[in-house]
Structure formats: structure tokens, C-alpha cells
Amino acid sequence: MCQLSFTYFKSALSNIPAVPDRERRVQQILPDLRSVVVLDDRPPGMFSLEEVMQLGSSRHLQQLRDQQRNLSCDDPIKILFTSGTTGFPKAVTLSHFNVINNSNLFGIRNEYDRRSDVRIGIPVPMFHCFAGVLAGITMAVHGASLVFPSAEYKLKVLLDTLLDERCTVLFGTPTIFVDIINYQHLNKYDLSSVYGGEIHIDMED
């Protein structure tokens, strides 16, 4: 039986002015956001993980333990479809263990477990395994920070975000990296904080 502890994203709102304008801006940018749970210093209006844990009663803890007894780390957690670039799309079922182990080993291989400055720029969609697992779950397992430049890929927004947020790692497809290399104003960006990257290449049978 696997017992997992889930952490929450810490919203990067550094570009939003201080209160009172901050609250209005946050509501504009993230209209569905209701609560933010952080693991380190708690800014005003947010919850610490310890506070959230204290909200649960013994009844809630018992419900959690009952659920844990009925679950296995080998149970399926998600079904992904290949893109169908070279053939028909194929469904792949991933288990809890598969997703967590993949993220854990990926983070260890890239030394995310040894660094405290891992800030990953994510210009790729979260519904894809590349971002959803190798970024999203790796963040929870190894404590990396995720930075989302925009809702959809925009080269200039990506470069501005890498610069402003001092990202240390960039995830992307080959076309994204080619776009960056060929960008005519690239020399105006100090991207010295970026020490690594991950490229997703779609390889199907």
C-alpha cells in the first residue's frame, strides 16, 4: 500500500502590485482561485499546510485511512493517448506507482533533489504527460517551483517570463527551442539563470 503526501502549488504573484490592488488583480487573473496553501512563509490571505492539516477532525482522518485501505499504488490513475503522429492514437494506462516513480527518478536524474533553486518554465500544456507528470508531480515530489508563462504558447511572453522569474530549467518541444534560437532579439535577454532544459520528442511505434 502506498501512502502519498500531496503538496500544493505556491502561486507566483510577484508581478502583481501590493494590496489593496493585489486582491482585485488576483481576482481578474485567477477568477476561480479560492484558496492558496503554501509550505514555507505564509503571506497574508494564504494558508500554511499545517493550518490545513489542523482543520481536519478525527472523523476526517478515519475517512482517509478507510480510503487508503481500499487503494493500491498499482491502481490506475490516468489514461493517456498518444498523439497519433505516426499511426492511430493509442491509450496508455498509468498507475499511481508509475506516475510517482517516474517523477521521482526523473527528479533524481536531473538532481532536483539536491538543488533548492529549481524553477521550471512550463510553456507546454498540463494535459500532456510531459508537463503534467514530469513537471507537476515532480514539483510535489522534489519541491521544485513551476512557472507558467501563459495559457498558450507565446514566444515573447515565454522569454519575458524566463527573465523576470529567473527560471533555471526550461521544458519544451524541439520547435520551442528552435523558436528561441532563431528569435531576432534573443541577445537582449539575460537567460544566464537557465542551466538546463528538457525536450519532449514524440516517439511512437
Side-chain angles (χ1 to χ4, degrees):
M1 191 70 71
C2 294
Q3 296 186 13
L4 305 176
S5 297
F6 291 95
T7 57
Y8 292 78
F9 291 95
K10 178 180 179 181
S11 296
L13 303 175
S14 57
N15 62 329
I16 298 177
V19 290
D21 192 48
R22 176 189 291 263
E23 184 174 346
R24 181 180 60 81
R25 291 287 306 281
V26 169
Q27 290 175 350
Q28 289 176 345
I29 297 171
L30 303 168
D32 296 323
L33 181 66
R34 295 293 176 265
S35 302
V36 176
V37 181
V38 296
L39 301 181
D40 47 15
D41 296 334
R42 182 177 65 81
M46 299 183 185
F47 296 97
S48 70
L49 184 59
E50 291 182 3
E51 288 174 322
V52 173
M53 296 297 290
Q54 294 300 321
L55 294 175
S57 66
S58 58
R59 177 175 59 85
H60 295 116
L61 185 58
Q62 186 59 49
Q63 289 176 341
L64 175 61
R65 289 174 176 165
D66 290 342
Q67 288 294 325
Q68 287 177 330
R69 281 194 289 270
N70 295 323
L71 297 174
S72 166
C73 59
D74 293 320
D75 288 341
I77 188 174
K78 66 190 307 184
I79 298 176
L80 296 176
F81 285 84
T82 61
S83 64
T85 303
T86 59
F88 289 109
K90 294 173 283 294
V92 179
T93 303
L94 303 180
S95 69
H96 292 265
F97 177 80
N98 174 253
V99 169
I100 299 299
N101 195 49
N102 189 13
S103 299
N104 183 44
L105 294 178
F106 174 80
I108 292 172
R109 177 66 180 85
N110 288 282
E111 298 186 347
Y112 295 168
D113 58 325
R114 299 182 183 182
R115 307 185 68 118
S116 60
D117 64 340
V118 181
R119 297 176 59 79
I120 307 174
I122 312 289
V124 291
M126 287 297 289
F127 61 76
H128 198 287
C129 193
F130 183 40
V133 173
L134 294 186
I137 305 300
T138 298
M139 175 278 305
V141 173
H142 292 290
S145 296
L146 303 185
V147 180
F148 301 95
S150 55
E152 58 187 30
Y153 171 62
K154 296 177 181 177
L155 177 59
K156 187 177 185 308
V157 175
L158 169 60
L159 291 171
D160 289 340
T161 303
L162 293 177
L163 178 63
D164 295 341
E165 298 294 335
R166 306 305 293 163
C167 291
T168 58
V169 177
L170 173 62
F171 280 15
T173 60
T175 52
I176 290 176
F177 284 94
V178 169
D179 283 350
I180 292 173
I181 292 171
N182 292 331
Y183 186 55
Q184 59 180 340
H185 302 300
L186 182 61
N187 61 346
K188 296 181 179 179
Y189 289 87
D190 176 12
L191 301 180
S192 58
S193 64
V194 180
Y195 63 75
E198 300 296 334
I199 299 179
H200 169 75
I201 301 176
D202 191 5
M203 301 180 67
E204 297 182 14
D205 295 332

